[in-house]
Amino acid sequence: MTTSAIEPGAAEQTETTPTKTFPYQRQCPFTPPREYTEMIHKDVSQVTLDGSGLRIWTVTGYHTIKQLLTDPRVSASRKHANFPFYFVAPPEYRTETSFIGYDGKAHSSTRRRAALTFTNRQVQRLRPRIEEIVDDHLEKLLRMTPPADFHRVFSLAVPMTVICELLGIPQDQHDFFIKHGTALLGGHSTTEERQAAIVEVNAYISELIQLKKVQPGEDLLSRAMADYAASGEEYTDRDLFNMVRLLMNGGHETTASQISLGTACLLENPDQLELLLNDPSLVKPAVEELVRFATIGDTAVPRVALEDIEIGGQVIRRGDGILCLGLAANRDPEVFPEPEKLDITRGSRKHLGFGHGVHHCIGADLARLELEIVWSKLFQRIPTLHLAKPFLEIPRKEGAVIYGLWELPVAW
């Protein structure tokens, strides 16, 4: 395993080691951990990571995070020795990555090939098909005898169908990718389970790549290979399957978690749901507010300092790992008045729910469209939808890369 020559710097710090390791548990699905209170006051502080025991920096301030994520002195590469994995990551987590873990030209070149599929113009062309997919899965849900697991039957299925069609993956493989996505991103996965999932997914995608070489289609993978060939730029199958795996996981796990959490949030806030039902035009601002409020990627923005950086009153040393805590930033009262309050009329797109800077979520427009269509149709089609068990009793994905619910039992 190759790692960066950058030497650790966090060990030089003298701040007292906390008794608890990071990540911390939320007080409830939408409330930041209690430990964030002091961390938000400091803006930049240190924590000890669970699993590795590594000391890293956390950044909580909205403006400080935006500043850091546009600073060329930080790296997204997983190859650095102090990259802040808060679980024991297999070697493949460092080497088998795509543009999310690249810097500079390597990032921009690889991302560009995927980005053409995710422009707002291209995404809006998908609206009729996504509406069909949502309608089909609502009908499937209604044919079931309640209670039903909304997360499994609907939240996972809708974005998985969309991303599989974009990538040219047959529908009968959806359960395969849901299973392995859970292993790769879930909070309870062992190192061996994560490693096995990478191997199995890569083997499947390798076969798909060979098929697309002889039978190209109207899909992102075929277009990426054609673009490489036209540019004359060298590439390997590994470059392709890492990109496909990244888009597959990012294209379904994140949106699925947001659908389930957002739906539960609306059911738990009937005044806000009533606003949406009475005025369907509020769906766009509702999407932004629910993304802000849930912040499913709270701990999904890791970085490493390439140089000493003075920020937020602290000096982050060269080689130190950094985590930008989006949930804390999205509750910054200087940016979001009454940030602890769910207000679907707020509609601010200033939130960091899709990240910031050059690594801003490539699928943000697609996710917004899927969420808009889901929440435009769901409660109109099933107005009596309700939770089948108390919300706080529903198991949550604590410690997962993407926060969410393991299930969402509903009835109607």
PDB file of all heavy atoms in Angstrom, residues 91-115:
ATOM      1  N   PRO A  91      -7.073  -1.715   2.758  1.00  0.00           N
ATOM      2  CA  PRO A  91      -6.147  -0.997   1.861  1.00  0.00           C
ATOM      3  C   PRO A  91      -6.819  -0.463   0.604  1.00  0.00           C
ATOM      4  O   PRO A  91      -6.446   0.593   0.094  1.00  0.00           O
ATOM      5  CB  PRO A  91      -5.100  -2.069   1.524  1.00  0.00           C
ATOM      6  CG  PRO A  91      -5.149  -3.029   2.667  1.00  0.00           C
ATOM      7  CD  PRO A  91      -6.573  -3.058   3.118  1.00  0.00           C
ATOM      8  N   GLU A  92      -7.842  -1.189   0.120  1.00  0.00           N
ATOM      9  CA  GLU A  92      -8.521  -0.757  -1.103  1.00  0.00           C
ATOM     10  C   GLU A  92      -9.209   0.591  -0.946  1.00  0.00           C
ATOM     11  O   GLU A  92      -9.470   1.270  -1.944  1.00  0.00           O
ATOM     12  CB  GLU A  92      -9.540  -1.819  -1.530  1.00  0.00           C
ATOM     13  CG  GLU A  92      -8.935  -3.097  -2.108  1.00  0.00           C
ATOM     14  CD  GLU A  92      -8.477  -4.061  -1.034  1.00  0.00           C
ATOM     15  OE1 GLU A  92      -8.579  -3.737   0.163  1.00  0.00           O
ATOM     16  OE2 GLU A  92      -8.004  -5.160  -1.402  1.00  0.00           O
ATOM     17  N   TYR A  93      -9.524   0.996   0.264  1.00  0.00           N
ATOM     18  CA  TYR A  93     -10.146   2.305   0.465  1.00  0.00           C
ATOM     19  C   TYR A  93      -9.172   3.426   0.138  1.00  0.00           C
ATOM     20  O   TYR A  93      -9.588   4.560  -0.122  1.00  0.00           O
ATOM     21  CB  TYR A  93     -10.647   2.448   1.908  1.00  0.00           C
ATOM     22  CG  TYR A  93     -12.102   2.076   2.089  1.00  0.00           C
ATOM     23  CD1 TYR A  93     -12.557   0.807   1.759  1.00  0.00           C
ATOM     24  CD2 TYR A  93     -13.017   2.997   2.575  1.00  0.00           C
ATOM     25  CE1 TYR A  93     -13.893   0.461   1.918  1.00  0.00           C
ATOM     26  CE2 TYR A  93     -14.358   2.661   2.744  1.00  0.00           C
ATOM     27  CZ  TYR A  93     -14.786   1.391   2.412  1.00  0.00           C
ATOM     28  OH  TYR A  93     -16.111   1.068   2.571  1.00  0.00           O
ATOM     29  N   ARG A  94      -7.895   3.124   0.173  1.00  0.00           N
ATOM     30  CA  ARG A  94      -6.895   4.131  -0.185  1.00  0.00           C
ATOM     31  C   ARG A  94      -6.548   4.097  -1.667  1.00  0.00           C
ATOM     32  O   ARG A  94      -6.295   5.123  -2.283  1.00  0.00           O
ATOM     33  CB  ARG A  94      -5.624   3.924   0.639  1.00  0.00           C
ATOM     34  CG  ARG A  94      -5.803   4.125   2.139  1.00  0.00           C
ATOM     35  CD  ARG A  94      -4.455   4.031   2.856  1.00  0.00           C
ATOM     36  NE  ARG A  94      -4.598   4.106   4.303  1.00  0.00           N
ATOM     37  CZ  ARG A  94      -4.645   5.249   4.998  1.00  0.00           C
ATOM     38  NH1 ARG A  94      -4.561   6.406   4.370  1.00  0.00           N
ATOM     39  NH2 ARG A  94      -4.753   5.230   6.308  1.00  0.00           N
ATOM     40  N   THR A  95      -6.526   2.904  -2.242  1.00  0.00           N
ATOM     41  CA  THR A  95      -6.059   2.758  -3.619  1.00  0.00           C
ATOM     42  C   THR A  95      -7.171   2.688  -4.650  1.00  0.00           C
ATOM     43  O   THR A  95      -7.005   3.128  -5.784  1.00  0.00           O
ATOM     44  CB  THR A  95      -5.195   1.499  -3.739  1.00  0.00           C
ATOM     45  OG1 THR A  95      -5.964   0.349  -3.352  1.00  0.00           O
ATOM     46  CG2 THR A  95      -3.968   1.593  -2.833  1.00  0.00           C
ATOM     47  N   GLU A  96      -8.322   2.114  -4.280  1.00  0.00           N
ATOM     48  CA  GLU A  96      -9.419   1.944  -5.234  1.00  0.00           C
ATOM     49  C   GLU A  96     -10.406   3.097  -5.075  1.00  0.00           C
ATOM     50  O   GLU A  96     -11.442   2.973  -4.441  1.00  0.00           O
ATOM     51  CB  GLU A  96     -10.107   0.596  -5.026  1.00  0.00           C
ATOM     52  CG  GLU A  96      -9.181  -0.598  -5.148  1.00  0.00           C
ATOM     53  CD  GLU A  96      -8.448  -0.640  -6.478  1.00  0.00           C
ATOM     54  OE1 GLU A  96      -9.073  -0.378  -7.525  1.00  0.00           O
ATOM     55  OE2 GLU A  96      -7.238  -0.929  -6.477  1.00  0.00           O
ATOM     56  N   THR A  97     -10.084   4.211  -5.653  1.00  0.00           N
ATOM     57  CA  THR A  97     -10.924   5.398  -5.530  1.00  0.00           C
ATOM     58  C   THR A  97     -11.078   6.022  -6.909  1.00  0.00           C
ATOM     59  O   THR A  97     -10.556   5.527  -7.894  1.00  0.00           O
ATOM     60  CB  THR A  97     -10.300   6.397  -4.530  1.00  0.00           C
ATOM     61  OG1 THR A  97     -11.172   7.505  -4.367  1.00  0.00           O
ATOM     62  CG2 THR A  97      -8.944   6.890  -5.010  1.00  0.00           C
ATOM     63  N   SER A  98     -11.825   7.088  -6.977  1.00  0.00           N
ATOM     64  CA  SER A  98     -11.974   7.815  -8.235  1.00  0.00           C
ATOM     65  C   SER A  98     -11.853   9.293  -7.922  1.00  0.00           C
ATOM     66  O   SER A  98     -11.190   9.668  -6.958  1.00  0.00           O
ATOM     67  CB  SER A  98     -13.307   7.477  -8.903  1.00  0.00           C
ATOM     68  OG  SER A  98     -13.381   8.065 -10.193  1.00  0.00           O
ATOM     69  N   PHE A  99     -12.533  10.151  -8.691  1.00  0.00           N
ATOM     70  CA  PHE A  99     -12.279  11.586  -8.581  1.00  0.00           C
ATOM     71  C   PHE A  99     -12.602  12.170  -7.219  1.00  0.00           C
ATOM     72  O   PHE A  99     -12.070  13.207  -6.855  1.00  0.00           O
ATOM     73  CB  PHE A  99     -13.004  12.363  -9.687  1.00  0.00           C
ATOM     74  CG  PHE A  99     -14.472  12.122  -9.790  1.00  0.00           C
ATOM     75  CD1 PHE A  99     -15.373  12.817  -9.001  1.00  0.00           C
ATOM     76  CD2 PHE A  99     -14.971  11.203 -10.692  1.00  0.00           C
ATOM     77  CE1 PHE A  99     -16.732  12.611  -9.100  1.00  0.00           C
ATOM     78  CE2 PHE A  99     -16.336  10.977 -10.803  1.00  0.00           C
ATOM     79  CZ  PHE A  99     -17.221  11.679 -10.006  1.00  0.00           C
ATOM     80  N   ILE A 100     -13.440  11.498  -6.415  1.00  0.00           N
ATOM     81  CA  ILE A 100     -13.714  12.006  -5.077  1.00  0.00           C
ATOM     82  C   ILE A 100     -12.437  12.012  -4.228  1.00  0.00           C
ATOM     83  O   ILE A 100     -12.312  12.786  -3.289  1.00  0.00           O
ATOM     84  CB  ILE A 100     -14.815  11.182  -4.390  1.00  0.00           C
ATOM     85  CG1 ILE A 100     -15.345  11.918  -3.152  1.00  0.00           C
ATOM     86  CG2 ILE A 100     -14.306   9.786  -4.029  1.00  0.00           C
ATOM     87  CD1 ILE A 100     -16.533  11.244  -2.507  1.00  0.00           C
ATOM     88  N   GLY A 101     -11.481  11.156  -4.580  1.00  0.00           N
ATOM     89  CA  GLY A 101     -10.224  11.084  -3.844  1.00  0.00           C
ATOM     90  C   GLY A 101      -9.032  11.546  -4.646  1.00  0.00           C
ATOM     91  O   GLY A 101      -7.893  11.190  -4.341  1.00  0.00           O
ATOM     92  N   TYR A 102      -9.269  12.352  -5.692  1.00  0.00           N
ATOM     93  CA  TYR A 102      -8.181  12.894  -6.509  1.00  0.00           C
ATOM     94  C   TYR A 102      -8.049  14.393  -6.261  1.00  0.00           C
ATOM     95  O   TYR A 102      -9.007  15.065  -5.858  1.00  0.00           O
ATOM     96  CB  TYR A 102      -8.449  12.681  -8.003  1.00  0.00           C
ATOM     97  CG  TYR A 102      -8.463  11.250  -8.480  1.00  0.00           C
ATOM     98  CD1 TYR A 102      -8.981  10.938  -9.731  1.00  0.00           C
ATOM     99  CD2 TYR A 102      -7.963  10.213  -7.689  1.00  0.00           C
ATOM    100  CE1 TYR A 102      -9.001   9.626 -10.190  1.00  0.00           C
ATOM    101  CE2 TYR A 102      -7.981   8.901  -8.144  1.00  0.00           C
ATOM    102  CZ  TYR A 102      -8.503   8.621  -9.402  1.00  0.00           C
ATOM    103  OH  TYR A 102      -8.520   7.330  -9.856  1.00  0.00           O
ATOM    104  N   ASP A 103      -6.878  14.908  -6.573  1.00  0.00           N
ATOM    105  CA  ASP A 103      -6.622  16.348  -6.517  1.00  0.00           C
ATOM    106  C   ASP A 103      -6.238  16.849  -7.910  1.00  0.00           C
ATOM    107  O   ASP A 103      -5.830  16.076  -8.779  1.00  0.00           O
ATOM    108  CB  ASP A 103      -5.477  16.661  -5.548  1.00  0.00           C
ATOM    109  CG  ASP A 103      -5.773  16.247  -4.115  1.00  0.00           C
ATOM    110  OD1 ASP A 103      -6.935  16.386  -3.696  1.00  0.00           O
ATOM    111  OD2 ASP A 103      -4.839  15.797  -3.421  1.00  0.00           O
ATOM    112  N   GLY A 104      -6.350  18.157  -8.077  1.00  0.00           N
ATOM    113  CA  GLY A 104      -5.793  18.816  -9.258  1.00  0.00           C
ATOM    114  C   GLY A 104      -6.275  18.282 -10.587  1.00  0.00           C
ATOM    115  O   GLY A 104      -7.463  18.000 -10.776  1.00  0.00           O
ATOM    116  N   LYS A 105      -5.349  18.103 -11.517  1.00  0.00           N
ATOM    117  CA  LYS A 105      -5.685  17.708 -12.889  1.00  0.00           C
ATOM    118  C   LYS A 105      -6.326  16.327 -12.941  1.00  0.00           C
ATOM    119  O   LYS A 105      -7.258  16.095 -13.721  1.00  0.00           O
ATOM    120  CB  LYS A 105      -4.432  17.728 -13.761  1.00  0.00           C
ATOM    121  CG  LYS A 105      -4.708  17.426 -15.226  1.00  0.00           C
ATOM    122  CD  LYS A 105      -3.444  17.499 -16.069  1.00  0.00           C
ATOM    123  CE  LYS A 105      -3.746  17.167 -17.529  1.00  0.00           C
ATOM    124  NZ  LYS A 105      -2.506  17.221 -18.361  1.00  0.00           N
ATOM    125  N   ALA A 106      -5.842  15.407 -12.107  1.00  0.00           N
ATOM    126  CA  ALA A 106      -6.420  14.061 -12.099  1.00  0.00           C
ATOM    127  C   ALA A 106      -7.893  14.117 -11.719  1.00  0.00           C
ATOM    128  O   ALA A 106      -8.728  13.407 -12.285  1.00  0.00           O
ATOM    129  CB  ALA A 106      -5.657  13.168 -11.122  1.00  0.00           C
ATOM    130  N   HIS A 107      -8.222  15.001 -10.782  1.00  0.00           N
ATOM    131  CA  HIS A 107      -9.619  15.152 -10.370  1.00  0.00           C
ATOM    132  C   HIS A 107     -10.454  15.746 -11.490  1.00  0.00           C
ATOM    133  O   HIS A 107     -11.506  15.221 -11.856  1.00  0.00           O
ATOM    134  CB  HIS A 107      -9.703  16.036  -9.120  1.00  0.00           C
ATOM    135  CG  HIS A 107     -11.091  16.488  -8.803  1.00  0.00           C
ATOM    136  ND1 HIS A 107     -11.579  17.724  -9.190  1.00  0.00           N
ATOM    137  CD2 HIS A 107     -12.119  15.867  -8.167  1.00  0.00           C
ATOM    138  CE1 HIS A 107     -12.832  17.838  -8.797  1.00  0.00           C
ATOM    139  NE2 HIS A 107     -13.186  16.741  -8.172  1.00  0.00           N
ATOM    140  N   SER A 108     -10.000  16.870 -12.034  1.00  0.00           N
ATOM    141  CA  SER A 108     -10.803  17.577 -13.043  1.00  0.00           C
ATOM    142  C   SER A 108     -10.985  16.749 -14.301  1.00  0.00           C
ATOM    143  O   SER A 108     -12.066  16.735 -14.900  1.00  0.00           O
ATOM    144  CB  SER A 108     -10.168  18.927 -13.379  1.00  0.00           C
ATOM    145  OG  SER A 108      -8.844  18.768 -13.841  1.00  0.00           O
ATOM    146  N   SER A 109      -9.952  16.017 -14.714  1.00  0.00           N
ATOM    147  CA  SER A 109     -10.030  15.213 -15.931  1.00  0.00           C
ATOM    148  C   SER A 109     -11.019  14.063 -15.780  1.00  0.00           C
ATOM    149  O   SER A 109     -11.869  13.834 -16.649  1.00  0.00           O
ATOM    150  CB  SER A 109      -8.641  14.663 -16.271  1.00  0.00           C
ATOM    151  OG  SER A 109      -8.708  13.789 -17.375  1.00  0.00           O
ATOM    152  N   THR A 110     -10.932  13.346 -14.659  1.00  0.00           N
ATOM    153  CA  THR A 110     -11.810  12.198 -14.447  1.00  0.00           C
ATOM    154  C   THR A 110     -13.241  12.644 -14.180  1.00  0.00           C
ATOM    155  O   THR A 110     -14.198  12.056 -14.696  1.00  0.00           O
ATOM    156  CB  THR A 110     -11.299  11.347 -13.271  1.00  0.00           C
ATOM    157  OG1 THR A 110      -9.921  11.048 -13.470  1.00  0.00           O
ATOM    158  CG2 THR A 110     -12.083  10.055 -13.167  1.00  0.00           C
ATOM    159  N   ARG A 111     -13.393  13.698 -13.394  1.00  0.00           N
ATOM    160  CA  ARG A 111     -14.731  14.191 -13.071  1.00  0.00           C
ATOM    161  C   ARG A 111     -15.451  14.684 -14.325  1.00  0.00           C
ATOM    162  O   ARG A 111     -16.661  14.490 -14.469  1.00  0.00           O
ATOM    163  CB  ARG A 111     -14.629  15.314 -12.042  1.00  0.00           C
ATOM    164  CG  ARG A 111     -15.984  15.904 -11.629  1.00  0.00           C
ATOM    165  CD  ARG A 111     -15.790  17.054 -10.655  1.00  0.00           C
ATOM    166  NE  ARG A 111     -17.026  17.780 -10.422  1.00  0.00           N
ATOM    167  CZ  ARG A 111     -17.725  17.731  -9.287  1.00  0.00           C
ATOM    168  NH1 ARG A 111     -17.307  16.995  -8.272  1.00  0.00           N
ATOM    169  NH2 ARG A 111     -18.836  18.436  -9.155  1.00  0.00           N
ATOM    170  N   ARG A 112     -14.707  15.325 -15.232  1.00  0.00           N
ATOM    171  CA  ARG A 112     -15.322  15.897 -16.432  1.00  0.00           C
ATOM    172  C   ARG A 112     -16.065  14.835 -17.234  1.00  0.00           C
ATOM    173  O   ARG A 112     -17.136  15.102 -17.790  1.00  0.00           O
ATOM    174  CB  ARG A 112     -14.243  16.555 -17.293  1.00  0.00           C
ATOM    175  CG  ARG A 112     -14.762  17.150 -18.604  1.00  0.00           C
ATOM    176  CD  ARG A 112     -13.639  17.753 -19.418  1.00  0.00           C
ATOM    177  NE  ARG A 112     -12.638  16.764 -19.772  1.00  0.00           N
ATOM    178  CZ  ARG A 112     -12.766  15.905 -20.792  1.00  0.00           C
ATOM    179  NH1 ARG A 112     -13.872  15.909 -21.533  1.00  0.00           N
ATOM    180  NH2 ARG A 112     -11.807  15.051 -21.070  1.00  0.00           N
ATOM    181  N   ARG A 113     -15.524  13.629 -17.290  1.00  0.00           N
ATOM    182  CA  ARG A 113     -16.149  12.576 -18.093  1.00  0.00           C
ATOM    183  C   ARG A 113     -17.500  12.152 -17.536  1.00  0.00           C
ATOM    184  O   ARG A 113     -18.389  11.749 -18.269  1.00  0.00           O
ATOM    185  CB  ARG A 113     -15.204  11.380 -18.197  1.00  0.00           C
ATOM    186  CG  ARG A 113     -14.020  11.684 -19.092  1.00  0.00           C
ATOM    187  CD  ARG A 113     -13.073  10.523 -19.279  1.00  0.00           C
ATOM    188  NE  ARG A 113     -12.184  10.839 -20.391  1.00  0.00           N
ATOM    189  CZ  ARG A 113     -11.123  11.624 -20.297  1.00  0.00           C
ATOM    190  NH1 ARG A 113     -10.814  12.139 -19.128  1.00  0.00           N
ATOM    191  NH2 ARG A 113     -10.389  11.898 -21.349  1.00  0.00           N
ATOM    192  N   ALA A 114     -17.629  12.244 -16.242  1.00  0.00           N
ATOM    193  CA  ALA A 114     -18.910  11.905 -15.626  1.00  0.00           C
ATOM    194  C   ALA A 114     -19.849  13.101 -15.590  1.00  0.00           C
ATOM    195  O   ALA A 114     -21.074  12.943 -15.670  1.00  0.00           O
ATOM    196  CB  ALA A 114     -18.681  11.383 -14.207  1.00  0.00           C
ATOM    197  N   ALA A 115     -19.274  14.292 -15.490  1.00  0.00           N
ATOM    198  CA  ALA A 115     -20.087  15.492 -15.254  1.00  0.00           C
ATOM    199  C   ALA A 115     -21.052  15.789 -16.393  1.00  0.00           C
ATOM    200  O   ALA A 115     -22.126  16.372 -16.165  1.00  0.00           O
ATOM    201  CB  ALA A 115     -19.175  16.696 -15.024  1.00  0.00           C
TER     202      ALA A 115
END
